[in-house]
Amino acid sequence: PPGRRVNGAQRNGGGNPVTLFEMVKQGKSAMQSVVDEWIEGPAGPHQLLHLIEMFRNMQNVEIIRKMTEEFDEDSGDYPLTISGPLWNKFRYSYCEFIAVLIRQCQYSIIYDELHCNRLYSNRSNCNRLIIIRCYICLQLQENQDEIENMMNSIFKGIFVHRYRLDAIAEIRAICIEEIRVWMQIYSDAFLNDSYLKYVGWTLHDRQGEVRLKCLKALQNLYSHRELFQKLELFTNRFKDRIVSMTLDKEYDVAVEAVRLIILVLQGSEDALSDDDCENVYHLVYSAHRPVALAAGDFLHHNNTHSCRAEEALAKHRGRSSPNGNLIRMLVLFFLESELHEHAAYLVDSLWDSSQDLLKDWECMTEVLLEEPVQGEEVLSERQESALIELIVCSIRQAAEAHPPVGRGTGKRVLTAKERKTQTDDRNKLTEHFIMSLPTLLSKYQADSEKVANLLQIPQYFNLDIYSTGRMEKHLDALLKQMRLVVEKHTELEVLETCSKTFSILCSEELSIMNRVDIAWSQLIDELTDRFSHAVEELLQEGDEADDDDIYSVLSSLKRLTAFHNAHDLTSWDLFGTCYRLLRAGIERKVQALQCSHYSIMWQLVKITEGSPSKDDLIALRRVVKSFLAVCQQCLSNVNTPVKEQAFMLLCDLLMIFSHQLMAGGREGLQPLVFHPDSVLQNELLNFVLDHVFIEQDEENQSVDGDEEDEANKIEALHKRRNLLAAFSKLIIYDIVDMSAAADIFKHYMKYYNDYGDIIKETLSKTRQMDKILCAKTLILSLQQLFNELIQDQGPNLDRTSAHVSGLKELARRFALTFGLDQIKTREAVATLHKDGIEFAFRFPNPKRPDCPPPNLAFLEVLCEFSSKLLRQDKKTVHSYLEKFLTEQMCERRDDVWLPLISYRNSLLTGGDDDHGSITSSSSSKTGSIRSRKSCAAHRKHTEGEEDELCLSRLNDLGKIAEMLCDLLVDEQCWDVSGVMKVVLSCLSSRGLMEDDAEPIFEDVMMSSRGQLEDMNEEFEDTMVIDLPPSCNRRERAELRPNFFDSAAMMEDESPRPFLLVSLF
């Protein structure tokens, strides 16, 4: 370590290193000069001999002890094994020092036969491998036979004992690195199966850094083509292991494994089987980008090897070029992988290795547009769709210059070179597709999938080129094709893509905006007129309307809805027409509901961005109120999609037009605020219970009895999760009463796999809003489940049944959510017990008064929350329980009274000790010391003196408690740390605390932190959330003996300070 003396040497006054150890460690001087200065010094030969002896005996315990003494070290850490940047640099400098030293002294004492033999004969240290490698490098030309004879003893003496059995992974990695150097320097002697097998065996090492070093060593060997023949047997023996390492849990190892396989493939095309290649191919879809890029490089090399005519046709372009063949092969690979929705991942994987191919948009366009030449296969429909998808993904990658979603950690800042490349690529693709895109749209006009992809291309254009390049005629051709697409297709994906492209082309900063806006307005006028006439005819015909009339209305409405999402169409007054359609009673109302919702949103945008008049606010409120009424009626519609759409729109509108609308100084929007009444809240809750918490079998039966495949099941589950999340937001933001959450919380265990995360998050947010009200909601959910059990099984519940056990398990999970800080949740837990006791004794037994109440078994469920009560609160709760008990009840010991007995015992347990307080009952070091000191103090007094001392301390404790209450009541004194200092000072001054005793609460907090890490159901009270301010938040309050008196609760609603008696 720096600053220690080496062999009595010290640093000079300027702080420069003056010892060999310091100079090597800092590595600031040239190593050649360091070696020369050290050897040529007065004690050079003696120090050199001493160094050789040190290398020979470095693992000897006595020598290590002697070195520690000479270095004046207090630590036993070995410099070569210490981690950190400084010591990593030291290891590098150390190896360099040894290499320079041996090279400098190659004709000196180091190569003395006696010292060489002594060095080779000892096998106690792996650092010797570095020295041996230096010997080999210098003696190969002069002593090859001697070196070859030595290798057997070296391997048996050093390498074999270290490459696999050494406890330090870095040492094992050094072994592999050194043997690689030997093989590469003198391949005739070392590059054979006798030595290669050790590298192959180490591929199974348990540490990733060792496996990584093996792969890199093999890469160095395979990169030399002249060595490949000697590696053939090794390849056949360990090829399967190398291929399997592409799936290594360490991503760095997997990347290097793929790179090694590429080198193997380059050395011999027949080295890998088709199955081996398939195992690597699928990694192009990996979420880890370095692995995917390496797999893409492998795919590119494999495809390139298949195109034998690349060099001969290198000057050709277009479909007959090498890129044309590679593009066809890439399309076939994409289709065979059967992961069509992952085209963006495939393009990103090939981006580094195949940019020239992926940016050859001219060739791709020719493959799609030109007629095939003689003998060339025609692309099928699936192949054309795949190629178009790949074109769009490559355009997006070039224009945005960042990986797709799911790869990487987000958008990074581009360098100047990358920005220039991005600009050039965008201009290149714009210039090409401005002319070719209308032709592509015209050819594939009838295919919705192809058109939906092609319409995305203008979104990545440099649109200024339309005007700067005088290409307005191509813009007109594009707008014409887009108009034809809208008139021909009703698929939602096609219409939404077309709407988004129109929105981008209509940007105000573009010079082409007027030309595009005229074409867009004409299209909307035509669609609106067609929709209005179709609605009029439908309403006039009434019940006599046929399917053609309904289709005409819905197809026009679907087109307008898609455009209304991205464009403000309020000037066309679509809401009035849609509202008439909704009131008409047609079954398929989904698009009408959605279009009306968009109309309301655009009206709200106008009002919030401008200065609305009172009439504007009243008009919008009238519109919103009427639409909410229609959506509420649709909740009972027989059409499931209509009901689900109405529910989602109701939840969204209630969120938007809630009290949050006035936030940010917008109090003038108060007329637009809506509060759902109890009827609407109940309907929304019932909808969730009927459509979210359903069994899988019930859902399957609802689809005409057909069994859904896995994809449809996942989609249905995703839809149900959205429904639950929409309703949960209403609870979290205090739009729907929190009591409605009881029906949600009670399904926490049963539907944990499907909705556990949503319910848990809802519970966390509601607790942060109001702890007491949340506790009441939890106990209400348990009461509802208990009532359901009573209805199913009768008053005599089977306490061992699965249903009762499930109810108790749910209560246990709820109890865990209160966390370890019982001070924060004190009042909430007490309220929960109060409500639970009242529920248990709410109804007397109708048969006889001395029989147990019907709900008495609920006390067994309530036992799960007893551990969350403080010690003094257990006494208070027990006193409240006693008010409901008669003398006969207390004496009964029958089985039916076991819930009461268990609950009473849970309240009495810990009542006289600290087990019920926040102090952990598990022993700790501080607690043990404190206990021993207390015993020692007691032994100093006689029995009479102890009684006298206890009485005195109790009086002092009473005074301190009164003083503490005064401090806490004082509004100016809420510094807990300050209060604790006062308390501890009083305790110490009055002899209530040993002079050297540690504060108890520090031990408690350390114990709590340790337990918190093991709690899976714990919520963090320090979570940062974005919630509206709640008007019913409660301050922490003292639990007084009359807390459970409802009259007292009504009289006193003022904040009450905590009584921290548990700390004493």
Side-chain angles (χ1 to χ4, degrees), residues 950-967:
C950 288
L951 289 174
S952 174
R953 291 187 175 184
L954 286 174
N955 292 332
D956 290 338
L957 279 176
K959 295 178 182 179
I960 293 174
E962 292 178 2
M963 179 190 67
L964 181 58
C965 290
D966 294 337
L967 287 172

Side-chain angles (χ1 to χ4, degrees), residues 74-92:
D74 297 328
S75 171
D77 291 335
Y78 188 36
L80 290 178
T81 62
I82 301 176
S83 60
L86 179 62
W87 298 105
N88 290 337
K89 183 178 180 181
F90 170 73
R91 282 192 290 273
Y92 175 80

Side-chain angles (χ1 to χ4, degrees), residues 92-145:
Y92 175 80
S93 300
Y94 167 74
C95 296
E96 184 182 2
F97 170 77
I98 295 298
V100 174
L101 176 64
I102 293 176
R103 185 169 58 250
Q104 185 74 7
C105 304
Q106 55 182 312
Y107 300 109
S108 181
I109 189 172
I110 291 183
Y111 283 85
D112 179 77
E113 182 178 0
L114 174 62
H115 288 94
C116 289
N117 293 336
R118 293 172 67 183
L119 182 62
Y120 292 140
S121 64
N122 189 283
R123 60 187 190 184
S124 62
N125 195 279
C126 190
N127 292 318
R128 207 161 290 103
L129 293 172
I130 303 172
I131 305 174
I132 295 173
R133 185 237 297 177
C134 299
Y135 276 118
I136 294 173
C137 295
L138 294 172
Q139 290 191 355
L140 278 178
Q141 302 300 326
E142 302 175 4
N143 307 294
Q144 292 185 2
D145 295 337

Side-chain angles (χ1 to χ4, degrees), residues 12-220:
N12 58 21
N16 295 325
V18 297
T19 67
L20 177 63
F21 177 74
E22 292 172 347
M23 287 188 292
V24 173
K25 188 179 102 172
Q26 294 187 10
K28 294 181 179 180
S29 304
M31 199 56 64
Q32 184 66 50
S33 62
V34 172
V35 172
D36 292 341
E37 180 181 353
W38 185 66
I39 294 177
E40 295 173 1
H46 173 74
Q47 292 177 349
L48 189 58
L49 288 173
H50 181 74
L51 179 64
I52 295 174
E53 291 298 326
M54 182 183 68
F55 283 139
R56 190 171 70 87
N57 299 291
M58 190 171 291
Q59 290 295 325
N60 188 276
V61 177
E62 289 77 11
I63 300 300
I64 293 294
R65 184 181 299 112
K66 181 179 179 181
M67 290 173 60
T68 304
E69 294 173 357
E70 291 183 352
F71 275 74
D72 194 18
E73 284 292 326
D74 297 328
S75 171
D77 291 335
Y78 188 36
L80 290 178
T81 62
I82 301 176
S83 60
L86 179 62
W87 298 105
N88 290 337
K89 183 178 180 181
F90 170 73
R91 282 192 290 273
Y92 175 80
S93 300
Y94 167 74
C95 296
E96 184 182 2
F97 170 77
I98 295 298
V100 174
L101 176 64
I102 293 176
R103 185 169 58 250
Q104 185 74 7
C105 304
Q106 55 182 312
Y107 300 109
S108 181
I109 189 172
I110 291 183
Y111 283 85
D112 179 77
E113 182 178 0
L114 174 62
H115 288 94
C116 289
N117 293 336
R118 293 172 67 183
L119 182 62
Y120 292 140
S121 64
N122 189 283
R123 60 187 190 184
S124 62
N125 195 279
C126 190
N127 292 318
R128 207 161 290 103
L129 293 172
I130 303 172
I131 305 174
I132 295 173
R133 185 237 297 177
C134 299
Y135 276 118
I136 294 173
C137 295
L138 294 172
Q139 290 191 355
L140 278 178
Q141 302 300 326
E142 302 175 4
N143 307 294
Q144 292 185 2
D145 295 337
E146 183 179 353
I147 291 297
E148 291 180 17
N149 293 332
M150 286 182 179
M151 285 309 300
N152 186 42
S153 60
I154 292 174
F155 260 76
K156 291 181 179 180
I158 301 175
F159 185 89
V160 172
H161 292 272
R162 294 295 182 180
Y163 87 101
R164 185 171 59 179
L165 300 179
D166 199 289
I168 300 177
E170 187 176 0
I171 299 298
R172 302 197 299 272
I174 290 176
C175 290
I176 298 301
E177 173 62 20
E178 295 305 319
I179 195 175
R180 190 272 305 171
V181 174
W182 303 344
M183 293 176 180
Q184 192 168 339
I185 293 176
Y186 192 22
S187 60
D188 293 339
F190 305 146
L191 190 58
N192 55 60
D193 298 326
S194 299
Y195 301 108
L196 281 171
K197 65 182 179 182
Y198 294 101
V199 180
W201 291 342
T202 315
L203 291 173
H204 298 270
D205 193 277
R206 60 186 179 274
Q207 292 295 331
E209 62 177 302
V210 181
R211 300 194 299 272
L212 183 65
K213 185 65 70 174
C214 289
L215 292 172
K216 289 186 175 181
L218 291 172
Q219 288 175 14
N220 284 316

